[in-house]
Amino acid sequence: MTRGRKPTAPHLKVLAGTDRPDREEKDAPEFDLIEDFPDPPQHLNADGAEMWRSLGRQLVSAKVLQVVDLYSLEQLCHAWQCFRKKAKADMEATAAETTALKALFSEFGMTPASRRKVSSGGSESKGNVFAGNGRKRATK
């Protein structure tokens, strides 16, 4: 079975400037954005909790972290703490562990390739500079 490209979340399309009303998913669920970031889950060790706090604050500031994303963020922080624990013990992570960690990094835009797909929602963002290409402009 071949799979196509993984769909991009609607709010990320807006940030990237690639949002198109004609391709909008009408029944896509909307979740609340996180405004007050919670403390790290108790099961995270120092490495996991540090990632939770630093990454979480940045995602909240960028206005991309929704309530349901906390579960994926927890999974990322747990995978990171396991990776760090092995590294400190001078043990190699398995290929499956490394692949899973890279996939989680990509989900949160933490790789160079995944970062190119989105931009921050800051006021300096000009959106998609090519959005008007190929369209006829209305004359006044």
Side-chain angles (χ1 to χ4, degrees):
M1 179 171 104
T2 60
R3 292 183 176 173
R5 227 180 236 183
K6 196 167 43 168
T8 304
H11 66 283
L12 295 179
K13 288 180 183 178
V14 172
L15 290 175
T18 59
D19 183 45
R20 284 184 39 186
D22 62 320
R23 291 187 178 172
E24 193 174 290
E25 182 65 41
K26 302 296 183 213
D27 297 329
E30 294 276 334
F31 298 100
D32 294 334
L33 286 174
I34 299 287
E35 293 177 13
D36 295 320
F37 192 68
D39 291 332
Q42 291 183 350
H43 67 86
L44 293 178
N45 69 14
D47 289 323
E50 179 184 349
M51 176 179 259
W52 174 272
R53 282 191 283 279
S54 64
L55 180 58
R57 287 184 195 128
Q58 292 180 41
L59 293 169
V60 169
S61 294
K63 298 187 184 314
V64 295
L65 190 66
Q66 297 181 11
V67 172
V68 295
D69 299 331
L70 291 175
Y71 301 107
S72 297
L73 181 59
E74 182 178 350
Q75 185 180 16
L76 170 62
C77 294
H78 184 264
W80 176 250
Q81 82 177 19
C82 292
F83 175 83
R84 295 291 296 156
K85 187 176 183 179
K86 280 191 167 187
K88 288 175 182 178
D90 203 24
M91 296 173 59
E92 291 287 325
T94 66
E97 291 168 335
T98 303
T99 301
L101 187 57
K102 284 181 183 178
L104 287 165
F105 279 148
S106 183
E107 288 292 322
F108 285 97
M110 294 176 60
T111 64
S114 64
R115 243 187 333 272
R116 286 195 313 247
K117 295 178 186 175
V118 296
S119 63
S120 68
S123 59
E124 296 175 15
S125 176
K126 295 179 182 172
N128 184 352
V129 296
F130 301 106
N133 288 2
R135 295 186 186 146
K136 292 185 179 181
R137 299 188 191 276
T139 58
K140 292 188 176 190

